[in-house]
Amino acid sequence: MKAFAVAAFVLAAVAAPSAQAADSVMLTGTIGSRAILIVNGSAPKTVAVGESFQGVKLVSLQSEQAVVESEGKRVTLRMDTPVSIGGGGSSGGSGNRIVLPADSRGHFMTQGLINDRPVTFMLDTGATTVAMSVADAQRIGLDYSKGRPVQVNTANGVAPGYLLRLRSVRVGDVEVYDLEAIVSPQSMPFVLLGNSFINRFSMRRDADQMVLEKRY
């Protein structure tokens, strides 16, 4: 496995296809009394209580929780956890398309879920599998010690790691199942979204966006 890339964390949007009704909504932060929302893969947008953005109305806001409404349906959002809402969405991760905008350093970052637990991903075609640190594995409750011991090439040389399979990985409303992953002792500020995930998609660069279309 190639050496892990290291880059500064930059918040970027979870992307889903555009629609009149909100398919995917995520709360990514707050600024005072305003929520920062990502709707159907939009750039993050600050919204005040009572205001609407792309068909989603912010009903109420607390420290790390918001209530939004779309087409008469209300849902509670928790920080960095994508939620499907409205007539076009599905909570089962049945979408097929991901669009990731490049950050100022050219990296493709996104929030997502591993086994229904929130993580920060960086798309990395140089990583053989989904790859994460021991700290991230522990945080999401992954018992990596049951994985197969392997040798991992890191920036600091060869280190022991664990190869295992993830039940599911989700980005926006796109979910894939039964993926290989490696847990490494190297400290990383995010999870590498490597080729065990990428190979399930056709991938193309469109200006400053990376578009992934699910193949299976």
Side-chain angles (χ1 to χ4, degrees):
M1 181 178 178
K2 295 184 180 180
F4 294 142
V6 178
F9 167 73
V10 179
L11 178 65
V14 169
S18 297
Q20 291 183 345
D23 292 336
S24 177
V25 185
M26 186 166 67
L27 174 68
T28 65
T30 61
I31 301 177
S33 60
R34 301 174 70 88
I36 304 174
L37 301 179
I38 291 173
V39 181
N40 288 347
S42 68
K45 173 73 172 178
T46 58
V47 181
V49 173
E51 291 182 347
S52 296
F53 173 58
Q54 293 195 9
V56 176
K57 180 180 180 180
L58 181 62
V59 177
S60 65
L61 176 66
Q62 298 178 5
S63 58
E64 293 190 354
Q65 183 172 299
V67 176
V68 297
E69 180 178 280
S70 177
E71 294 191 328
K73 179 181 178 182
R74 290 192 178 189
V75 298
T76 298
L77 305 179
R78 292 176 175 80
M79 196 70 72
D80 293 334
T81 303
V83 172
S84 294
I85 185 174
S90 169
S91 60
S94 59
N96 294 302
R97 187 170 183 264
I98 300 169
V99 181
L100 302 177
D103 65 27
S104 60
R105 298 166 64 96
H107 300 296
F108 297 97
M109 308 288 298
T110 185
Q111 301 294 321
L113 303 174
I114 290 179
N115 296 353
D116 299 322
R117 300 293 299 274
V119 298
T120 300
F121 287 118
M122 185 183 81
L123 192 72
D124 187 354
T125 58
T128 305
T129 70
V130 175
M132 73 189 79
S133 66
V134 167
D136 268 327
Q138 292 174 335
R139 182 180 59 81
I140 66 175
L142 197 61
D143 188 1
Y144 62 88
S145 65
K146 293 182 179 178
R148 177 165 61 86
V150 294
Q151 295 295 306
V152 179
N153 293 320
T154 74
N156 298 317
V158 178
Y162 296 89
L163 179 67
L164 46 82
R165 302 197 75 85
L166 304 175
R167 176 174 54 80
S168 66
V169 172
R170 178 166 175 164
V171 177
D173 65 345
V174 179
E175 191 164 17
V176 295
Y177 302 92
D178 190 27
L179 298 180
E180 277 194 344
I182 285 180
V183 177
S184 165
Q186 176 174 331
S187 177
M188 291 184 285
F190 36 70
V191 176
L192 299 182
L193 201 56
N195 287 317
S196 61
F197 179 87
I198 295 169
N199 289 344
R200 303 285 185 95
F201 298 82
S202 61
M203 184 170 65
R204 62 181 172 85
R205 179 76 180 260
D206 185 4
D208 61 349
Q209 295 181 328
M210 189 69 75
V211 181
L212 287 79
E213 300 277 357
K214 193 174 183 182
R215 296 191 293 117
Y216 64 94

